């Protein structure tokens, strides 16, 4: 049922983060006849204050290239040329390297890049504007009703939009998911991820490091030097929640002293460059991905531990799969909001999402402890993987998003 006087659109996307933007751009680029409206509850311009960076896998990079965004992002993208994995305690004088990965999945193609969130968002927004996608910022979805032909999406400003399909890409605490009555499987890890940028004396040469410490993984991820040529890296530092909150609240001297214990001195003197913030970590998996005229994408469908750096890339897989299902259905004259159409998307993404959620959960539980016998077993396992090139190649292709069947955009092909 639609309300008289409603605006109309083929698709409404709630949430103007990377996943929502990528899905909207992918659909509009392939089917210009489909009208798309995006609504975002965040105040206008808030994305420009995001100082974080994200690891974008090779498959996601191929998608950004297909969407016409990569050339704009590339000057700020730092390729990860090598990755090392250690397993130790903070007090250990030496951290032996148990596993190393070469950064290439193909000649001249690295398995991932570190990209500032602002740069990625700006490129996707610029492309959305070129395709005529309207973005209404600072406006939340107040509710929606589903009818036989359309969903009526009511906005907090009193307006409403009648749409054939509503896509919820509004984050791990999705209000739209709750409105749709979709339940989740969720548990809290009792950990928080401290995120900040660190300036350091010597260049990182594109090397990423993952140090498994008793409280959780400590990742050092390379960034491009800033405009002054300062060497920089992004830190994702997992601690027990109470300890993380204490560290973030400390002054710079105390925080940097604790950081140095984990970061080490291999890159010379270090200092925190910009704000620091702690994010609670947990596992959230939606029990359903779709409902009549409704689809979840990105963190609204799944929130996982950052231990494997795959959260954003899972979301980009959602965007690519949903766009392909919608575009192909529209080409065939099918109803893009019908449950049987949307179930194709759900079937495509459900197994991969659950598999990654379980994998990150097991890895976090296995490595975020100091139990001696388990440390011995996992270190032997890491060492064995390091001596098996075929297995290492399998893992790197998994991390790059290039294993198994993938949507066209992730293979670098148009829909």
């Amino acid at each position: 049922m639609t309300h008289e006087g409603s605006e109309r659109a083929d698709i409404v996307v709630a949430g103007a983060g990377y996943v929502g933007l990528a899905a909207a751009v992918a659909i509009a680029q392939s089917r210009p006849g489909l009208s798309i409206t995006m609504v975002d509850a965040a105040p206008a311009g808030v994305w420009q204050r995001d100082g974080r960076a994200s690891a974008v896998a090779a498959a996601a990079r191929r998608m950004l290239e297909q969407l016409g965004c990569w050339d704009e992002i590339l000057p700020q993208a730092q390729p990860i040329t090598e990755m090392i994995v250690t397993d130790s305690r903070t007090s250990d004088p030496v951290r032996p390297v148990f596993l190393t990965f070469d950064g290439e999945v193909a000649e001249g193609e690295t398995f991932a890049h570190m990209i500032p969130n602002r740069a990625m968002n700006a490129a996707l927004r610029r492309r959305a504007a070129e395709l005529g996608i309207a973005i209404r910022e600072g406006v939340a979805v107040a509710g929606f009703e589903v009818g036989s032909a359309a969903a009526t999406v009511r906005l907090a400003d009193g307006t409403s939009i009648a749409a054939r399909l509503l896509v919820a890409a509004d984050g791990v605490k999705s209000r739209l998911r709750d409105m749709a009555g979709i339940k989740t499987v969720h548990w809290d890890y009792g950990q928080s991820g401290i995120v900040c940028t660190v300036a350091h004396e010597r260049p990182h040469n594109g090397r990423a490091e993952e140090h498994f410490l008793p409280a959780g993984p400590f990742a050092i991820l390379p960034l491009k030097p800033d405009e002054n040529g300062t060497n920089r890296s992004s830190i994702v530092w997992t601690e027990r929640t109470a300890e993380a909150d204490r560290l973030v609240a400390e002054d710079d001297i105390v925080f940097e002293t604790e950081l140095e214990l984990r970061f080490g001195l291999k890159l010379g003197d270090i200092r925190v460059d910009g704000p620091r913030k702690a994010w609670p970590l947990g596992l959230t998996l939606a029990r359903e991905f779709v409902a009549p005229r409704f689809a979840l994408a990105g963190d609204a469908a799944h929130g996982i531990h950052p231990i494997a750096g795959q959260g954003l890339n899972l979301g980009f897989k959602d965007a690519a799969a949903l766009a392909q299902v919608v575009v192909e259905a529209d080409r065939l004259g099918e109803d893009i909001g019908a449950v049987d159409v949307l179930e194709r998307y759900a079937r495509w993404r459900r197994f991969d999402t659950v598999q990654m959620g379980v994998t990150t959960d097991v890895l976090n539980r296995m490595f975020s402890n100091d139990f001696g016998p388990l440390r011995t077993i996992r270190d032997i396992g890491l060492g064995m993987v390091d001596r098996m090139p075929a297995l290492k190649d399998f893992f790197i292709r998994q991390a790059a998003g290039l294993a198994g069947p993938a949507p066209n955009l992730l293979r670098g092909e148009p829909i």
Side-chain angles (χ1 to χ4, degrees):
M1 161 176 172
T2 61
H3 294 161
E4 190 173 344
S6 296
E7 300 174 31
R8 293 186 176 276
D10 289 300
I11 302 168
V12 170
V13 179
Y18 327 109
V19 174
L21 284 164
V25 168
I27 293 168
Q29 180 172 280
S30 300
R31 296 297 284 176
L34 290 175
S35 58
I36 302 173
T37 296
M38 301 191 70
V39 295
D40 193 81
V46 71
W47 62 272
Q48 295 173 314
R49 300 196 293 273
D50 188 347
R52 297 171 296 167
S54 298
V56 174
R61 184 206 62 79
R62 293 178 182 183
M63 181 176 75
L64 290 169
E65 189 168 31
Q66 279 293 315
L67 297 183
C69 297
W70 184 245
D71 287 346
E72 182 177 340
I73 294 170
L74 181 57
Q76 298 185 66
Q78 169 63 51
I80 297 177
T81 58
E82 180 189 11
M83 183 168 183
I84 68 167
V85 178
T86 75
D87 185 14
S88 59
R89 301 177 180 87
T90 309
S91 58
D92 289 349
V94 177
R95 292 181 184 169
V97 174
F98 288 98
L99 188 56
T100 62
F101 290 107
D102 176 33
E104 288 193 337
V105 291
E107 188 172 351
E109 184 177 20
T110 56
F111 82 91
H113 287 78
M114 286 299 297
I115 300 174
N117 290 0
R118 284 193 297 263
M120 192 154 44
N121 204 310
L124 285 163
R125 283 172 178 264
R126 187 263 311 162
R127 186 68 181 123
E130 289 177 354
L131 293 167
I133 299 171
I135 303 177
R136 298 171 62 169
E137 296 180 284
V139 181
V141 174
F144 64 92
E145 293 87 36
V146 175
S148 59
T152 299
V153 184
R154 293 180 286 105
L155 305 183
D157 63 3
T159 62
S160 60
I161 306 172
R164 296 162 64 195
L165 173 62
L166 172 59
V167 178
D170 56 338
V172 72
K173 295 183 179 179
S174 172
R175 291 182 65 245
L176 273 76
R177 183 184 64 215
D178 294 341
M179 292 176 192
I182 295 176
K183 305 298 183 182
T184 62
V185 175
H186 172 79
W187 53 81
D188 192 301
Y189 288 125
Q191 298 171 314
S192 289
I194 302 171
V195 179
C196 63
T197 299
V198 173
H200 41 82
E201 188 178 0
R202 291 191 284 272
H204 47 58
N205 297 319
R207 185 167 81 172
E209 302 182 9
E210 181 105 63
H211 300 291
F212 289 121
L213 301 172
F218 179 89
I220 303 172
L221 304 165
L223 298 175
K224 282 274 190 180
D226 66 12
E227 60 273 10
N228 300 315
T230 303
N231 298 306
R232 301 179 307 142
S233 292
S234 177
I235 301 300
V236 182
W237 171 4
T238 303
E239 282 286 346
R240 301 302 174 193
T241 295
E243 179 68 1
D245 291 343
R246 180 191 70 81
L247 287 165
V248 169
E250 292 283 6
D251 61 33
D252 287 347
I253 293 175
V254 173
F255 184 82
E256 288 179 359
T257 299
E258 292 281 357
L259 177 64
E260 191 175 275
L261 287 173
R262 294 155 178 82
F263 193 99
L265 297 173
K266 54 196 169 297
L267 298 181
D269 291 336
I270 64 172
R271 61 177 172 82
V272 176
D273 183 16
R276 55 188 189 251
K277 187 169 182 180
W279 305 82
L281 303 178
L283 177 67
T284 302
L285 297 174
R287 291 184 179 274
E288 303 291 340
F289 277 30
V290 301
R293 307 210 168 277
F294 182 84
L296 296 172
D299 286 352
H302 43 72
I304 65 172
H305 197 284
I307 192 167
Q310 290 297 307
L312 174 63
N313 296 293
L314 271 184
F316 275 148
K317 287 182 180 180
D318 294 346
L322 181 60
Q324 186 162 331
V325 166
V326 168
V327 167
E328 290 178 347
D330 192 58
R331 284 173 179 161
L332 293 171
E334 296 178 296
D335 182 351
I336 61 173
V339 172
D340 61 330
V341 170
L342 297 177
E343 273 295 337
R344 298 171 201 163
Y345 161 68
R347 287 194 298 271
W348 203 344
R349 296 300 304 130
R350 189 177 290 118
F351 177 76
D352 182 44
T353 297
V354 172
Q355 182 184 50
M356 185 58 68
V358 170
T359 298
T360 55
D361 182 73
V362 169
L363 286 173
N364 183 54
R365 294 176 189 277
M366 181 179 293
F367 284 94
S368 296
N369 65 75
D370 198 26
F371 182 54
L374 184 57
R375 283 175 60 89
T376 300
I377 292 170
R378 70 197 186 205
D379 292 347
I380 291 172
L382 289 173
M384 290 177 62
V385 171
D386 198 49
R387 290 165 176 77
M388 301 174 70
L391 193 54
K392 285 174 68 172
D393 182 63
F394 169 79
F395 285 134
I396 205 73
R397 290 189 66 80
Q398 286 280 352
L402 301 176
N408 288 14
L409 290 172
L410 297 179
R411 300 199 303 267
E413 301 169 2
I415 298 175

